[in-house]
Amino acid sequence: MSAGGPTAMDDSDDTGGLRAALSGLTTRGRSFLAAGIAAAVCAYVLGQGDLLRVGLLLAVLPLVCVTVLYRTRYRVAGTRRLSPSRVPAGTEARVHLRMENVSRLPTGLLMLQDRVPYVLGPRPRFVLDRVEAGGRREVSYRVRSDLRGRYPLGPLQLRLSDPFGMCELTRSFSAYDTLVVVPRTEPLPPVRLAGEASGYGEGRQRSLALAGEDDVIPRGYRHGDDLRRVHWRSTARYGELMVRREEQPQRARCTVLLDTRRIAYQGTGPDSAFEWAVSGAASALVHMLERGFAVRLLTDEGSPLPGEGAGGFAGSGQDSVDAAGLMMDTLAVVDHSDGGGLSRAYDVLRGGNEGLLIAFIGDLDEEQAAVAARMRQRSGGAVAFVLDSTAWVHGDSPAGEAASEQRLRLLRESGWTVVPVLPGTDLAQLWQQASRLASLTQPTGAGGTTGFSGGWS
């Protein structure tokens, strides 16, 4: 990833550039200049010629350094490479910088620094010794953040200095790169479902494979068809060779619902309930994609990802990889919504045939619990990880425990497999707990489709 191409480290011969060069005087340079002026004034008052020569020498030295540095023309190319450019929270990434002298003259002493947000660590600085004509120098540094997000890196800055340390000038490249810190994910045990089209897993549902335009069963023979699939009765009926169409497993669907309502969560920081929910949604997305499901991400605002095509579900192959990256990038910057309800998400789910629904939900009042209960009717199976954010901030809250249990009971009666989430609980353990609950109570949704059956293996 490039952080800038060749750039000339020279200035135009104008008053503004010279004024900027004078402003680059260091403390040492300013001290020499002030001492020289003071000595020259004293020499004039006292009539001391030798002192005047000393004063002129002290005053002229920093000015000569400014002029030489100002007239120096370097052409230096800089590049930046992130390895990797997308990392989970709490994981380090390495940034590689390369500086190349593309001019015919060697450079002097250079100080290289890269601008990074404070959450990624201290600003890296490197001192580069003389770089010969056509030479290059490579340095690297590490960045790390416990907070997910998108963080700009750059632009690169070069600080030029004279040999006496009288003046320093800073030049900047124009380009920058972006480091994406995505939520942490946990490996989850594989899931076995029944009563829906799980595609490449258990309980698969078959769908007819199309070969061009819409076909009917059977269809005419095409070159290359297996003769073992010849349908002789239809061949005798139509007077031409007819073959049976192939069947292939239908790709299962899974919707991961993330509740981002501001009123549903309390507390902030990497250990808050909201961050746990975001991390849980990311883990579920990755897990279901690895299991071969067509997955989409849905928030309470009703915006499905990766897109509107095919109901917003990710495709297969490379499409799944791209969709996973898009959803993880979205989760990297997802924030609280100002909406107070789940009705928009319910409107998206009203189309039916949503397959499996996995929800990460915050605090629910009676009205929102009823909306969530109706969502179960639109899916083949549904699991809800419900967080009590008050417990995450203040510990156990006996006063609200009865009301919270009533909301959870409403979800269970509607067919949800409900798993309460306590602070510090590992998602993999809750995943196993959900499998045990599903094996004990197999809810029946709309149309008689069962949810989880046979446990999760």
Side-chain angles (χ1 to χ4, degrees):
M1 303 179 69
S2 176
T7 179
M9 305 305 294
D10 55 357
D11 300 293
S12 302
D13 295 331
D14 54 16
T15 306
L18 184 58
R19 186 180 300 111
L22 288 173
S23 65
L25 282 172
T26 62
T27 303
R28 179 184 299 177
R30 296 175 187 274
S31 300
F32 268 68
L33 183 61
I37 294 175
V41 172
C42 292
Y44 176 78
V45 173
L46 300 177
Q48 298 291 328
D50 294 337
L51 182 59
L52 178 61
R53 285 190 289 271
V54 173
L56 291 178
L57 177 62
L58 293 176
V60 168
L61 181 59
L63 296 179
V64 171
C65 292
V66 168
T67 303
V68 172
L69 194 62
Y70 171 71
R71 299 290 296 179
T72 301
R73 282 159 167 76
Y74 295 144
R75 292 188 64 85
V76 182
T79 58
R80 180 193 299 105
R81 179 172 56 87
L82 304 182
S83 178
S85 60
R86 181 190 291 122
V87 296
T91 304
E92 289 185 345
R94 183 167 290 274
V95 184
H96 302 269
L97 304 177
R98 186 176 70 176
M99 304 302 300
E100 182 178 0
N101 183 11
V102 296
S103 65
R104 298 181 179 180
L105 298 176
T107 69
L109 188 67
L110 303 176
M111 188 176 79
L112 175 67
Q113 69 176 12
D114 204 6
R115 299 183 62 181
V116 300
Y118 71 94
V119 296
L120 298 182
R123 179 172 295 183
R125 292 182 174 89
F126 306 93
V127 177
L128 304 181
D129 204 353
R130 179 179 179 273
V131 182
E132 65 278 5
R136 63 185 61 177
R137 299 289 186 272
E138 295 186 3
V139 294
S140 64
Y141 64 94
R142 294 177 296 180
V143 291
R144 179 181 181 273
S145 175
D146 292 328
L147 300 175
R148 55 187 176 81
R150 295 173 60 90
Y151 300 102
L153 301 178
L156 282 171
Q157 292 182 335
L158 277 179
R159 182 171 295 178
L160 311 178
S161 178
D162 66 279
F164 300 100
M166 298 290 180
C167 181
E168 290 182 349
L169 296 181
T170 301
R171 299 291 180 263
S172 297
F173 295 91
S174 58
Y176 65 92
D177 294 299
T178 302
L179 175 68
V180 181
V181 181
V182 300
R184 299 184 184 93
T185 58
E186 298 183 33
L188 302 177
V191 178
R192 179 180 300 172
L193 305 177
E196 50 188 304
S198 57
Y200 310 124
E202 300 296 329
R204 66 181 58 182
Q205 176 180 336
R206 311 297 292 188
S207 64
L208 297 175
L210 301 182
E213 296 83 16
D214 292 340
D215 291 330
V216 294
I217 298 178
R219 62 169 175 83
Y221 175 83
R222 296 191 180 101
H223 178 72
D225 285 341
D226 191 347
L227 292 178
R228 290 174 297 180
R229 294 195 297 111
V230 173
H231 192 264
W232 297 109
R233 180 178 300 176
S234 298
T235 299
R237 177 179 178 184
Y238 291 102
E240 59 177 314
L241 202 58
M242 307 292 293
V243 296
R244 293 185 295 270
R245 289 167 53 188
E246 291 180 343
E247 294 180 339
Q248 63 182 11
Q250 187 181 51
R251 191 174 176 86
R253 290 185 170 189
C254 175
T255 298
V256 178
L257 172 63
L258 175 61
D259 181 12
T260 65
R261 295 172 298 132
R262 187 180 303 274
I263 62 175
Y265 299 94
Q266 300 181 29
T268 58
D271 296 327
S272 63
F274 180 67
E275 292 301 324
W276 191 99
V278 174
S279 177
S283 301
L285 287 170
V286 172
H287 174 74
M288 301 310 292
L289 283 172
E290 290 176 350
R291 293 284 293 167
F293 281 69
V295 183
R296 70 175 174 183
L297 172 66
L298 180 65
T299 66
D300 57 289
E301 294 185 312
S303 301
L305 286 175
E308 296 298 334
F313 291 91
S316 59
Q318 185 63 33
D319 292 340
S320 293
V321 177
D322 296 339
L326 177 60
M327 288 186 284
M328 294 300 288
D329 289 347
T330 301
L331 290 176
V333 296
V334 70
D335 201 356
H336 292 291
S337 66
D338 295 327
L342 302 171
S343 57
R344 292 184 178 179
Y346 172 73
D347 291 338
V348 175
L349 297 172
R350 292 181 65 180
N353 193 24
E354 302 298 334
L356 175 64
L357 176 60
I358 303 175
F360 295 85
I361 305 175
D363 296 333
L364 292 172
D365 56 21
E366 186 176 353
E367 179 182 358
Q368 299 310 314
V371 175
R374 292 197 298 270
M375 291 181 182
R376 172 62 183 89
Q377 303 172 2
R378 305 297 178 180
S379 62
V383 180
F385 297 92
V386 183
L387 293 84
D388 183 1
S389 62
T390 303
W392 285 71
V393 177
H394 306 290
D396 296 336
S397 53
E401 184 175 353
S404 176
E405 183 59 32
Q406 182 179 0
R407 313 285 192 268
L408 299 182
R409 186 182 302 111
L410 177 60
L411 295 180
R412 293 190 184 98
E413 292 176 351
S414 64
W416 283 87
T417 298
V418 180
V419 181
V421 179
L422 298 177
T425 308
D426 184 67
L427 179 60
Q429 298 177 0
L430 298 178
W431 205 258
Q432 294 287 2
Q433 180 182 350
S435 71
R436 292 192 296 268
L437 294 175
S439 62
L440 294 176
T441 59
Q442 300 178 9
T444 301
T449 55
T450 60
F452 291 85
S453 178
W456 296 11
S457 59

